[in-house]
Amino acid sequence: MSENPEPRPAVVPDPGLPNPEAPNPQLPVLQKLRIQYAKRGRLRFTSHRDFGRAFERAIRRARIPIAHSHGFTPHPKISYANASPTGAASEAEYLEIGLTQRLDPADVQRRLDTSLPDGLDVVAVVEAGAGSLADRLEASRWELTLLGIDPAAAAQAVATFLAQPSVEVERMTKRGPRVFDCRAAVVSLAVRSEGAGDQPCAILDLVVRHGTPSVRPDDVLAGLRSSGGLEVAQAPLANRVAQGPLDDETGTVGDPLALDRDAP
């Protein structure tokens, strides 16, 4: 009777070389960077998929040593977090990338910003610290510019909306129409006026808590219409000015990269 062969010792991959036991082995991740970028001007109409393609081209053009997944169809290690809707401008979009070499974050910011089209702008790059970036994105602050709307009429509709315990709206989803409460997600909502030529203009300052389903600016406008009778004839301009951790006491939205900047 033959003896059982001795078990083969586990292969411990060198931290700077591909794992030889993985299919289509790739270089390991040696550094993770978190990136804040903005969508401005006409580029606010860029869809999330279009931005992903543009960002991957910028990675190649800037010669950033991006890490890839293992397997038969390797993908670049890029993780997107809570992208804004198509058509909305934003100063606070976030993603995380894995690199096969350690680089200076400031140099990566410069190279990527140069490689992206004007309007898709890299605002900050920091080395990733502990914890999940997505978990820090608890709320967003939006500015909604409503051309042709009298600020007094908007303020009255906002007061009526905020006085309601719940405001149900309907949105079309991939699984069909869905009805949900948009009032519960609104942390604060205020109105200010701003000159816009000969026509009135109201600007809504909105802080909305992230959740499931995610409440978007157009959902809040639908709630203002159903509860307060606010009819917006012209397409509003939505701009996300901040996204990050929510201070429940003050209702303010913080910087999600602050912990990474403060890390040793």
Side-chain angles (χ1 to χ4, degrees), residues 235-252:
L237 174 60
N239 181 29
R240 176 152 60 188
V241 295
Q243 181 182 194
L246 175 66
D247 187 325
D248 288 318
E249 293 186 1
T250 63
T252 56

Side-chain angles (χ1 to χ4, degrees), residues 31-36 64 97 99 101-113 122-129 257 260-261 263:
Q31 184 184 40
K32 289 184 178 180
L33 298 179
R34 289 170 177 167
I35 298 173
Q36 177 186 356
I64 303 297
I97 61 175
L99 305 184
Q101 301 175 25
R102 297 191 61 81
L103 298 179
D104 178 16
D107 184 51
V108 172
Q109 178 179 349
R110 178 188 59 79
R111 289 158 64 179
L112 284 177
D113 194 46
V122 178
V123 178
V125 178
V126 300
E127 187 159 2
L257 303 183
D260 302 307
R261 292 189 179 95

Side-chain angles (χ1 to χ4, degrees), residues 6-238:
E6 294 184 0
R8 187 174 58 178
V11 177
V12 180
D14 187 294
L17 297 174
N19 181 358
E21 293 193 335
N24 196 8
Q26 303 290 328
L27 291 171
V29 174
L30 297 185
Q31 184 184 40
K32 289 184 178 180
L33 298 179
R34 289 170 177 167
I35 298 173
Q36 177 186 356
Y37 67 95
K39 294 196 306 179
R40 298 166 174 155
R42 296 178 62 185
L43 271 297
R44 70 183 187 274
F45 295 107
T46 304
S47 69
H48 178 57
R49 182 174 296 179
D50 290 337
F51 173 79
R53 287 194 288 260
F55 186 75
E56 289 186 24
R57 286 196 296 269
I59 286 281
R60 293 192 294 270
R61 192 176 297 119
R63 299 184 181 276
I64 303 297
I66 191 77
H68 287 75
S69 61
H70 301 295
F72 298 104
T73 54
H75 298 284
K77 286 192 173 288
I78 306 173
S79 300
Y80 299 93
N82 199 39
S84 62
T86 302
S90 178
E91 296 294 317
E93 302 295 288
Y94 295 93
L95 59 84
E96 184 175 285
I97 61 175
L99 305 184
T100 59
Q101 301 175 25
R102 297 191 61 81
L103 298 179
D104 178 16
D107 184 51
V108 172
Q109 178 179 349
R110 178 188 59 79
R111 289 158 64 179
L112 284 177
D113 194 46
T114 302
S115 301
L116 283 167
D118 291 339
L120 296 178
D121 305 314
V122 178
V123 178
V125 178
V126 300
E127 187 159 2
S132 166
L133 174 62
D135 290 344
R136 301 178 192 174
L137 304 182
E138 299 175 336
S140 290
R141 179 175 169 232
W142 293 88
E143 285 185 351
L144 310 180
T145 302
L146 310 180
L147 294 174
I149 299 297
D150 179 43
Q156 184 176 356
V158 165
T160 303
F161 175 88
L162 293 176
Q164 306 302 312
S166 67
V167 178
E168 291 189 339
V169 295
E170 181 179 274
R171 185 204 300 165
M172 183 61 68
T173 68
K174 295 179 180 178
R175 298 183 179 180
R178 180 174 183 179
V179 177
F180 57 93
D181 176 22
C182 72
R183 173 64 186 89
V186 175
V187 177
S188 64
L189 181 58
V191 182
R192 72 175 191 269
S193 60
E194 186 169 301
D198 296 331
Q199 60 178 332
C201 176
I203 296 180
L204 305 185
D205 193 328
L206 167 68
V207 175
V208 61
R209 182 181 289 104
H210 299 165
T212 304
S214 177
V215 174
R216 306 183 307 203
D218 55 333
D219 298 322
V220 176
L221 291 176
L224 289 170
R225 182 174 60 251
S226 63
S227 67
L230 184 66
E231 295 290 344
V232 180
Q234 300 185 50
L237 174 60

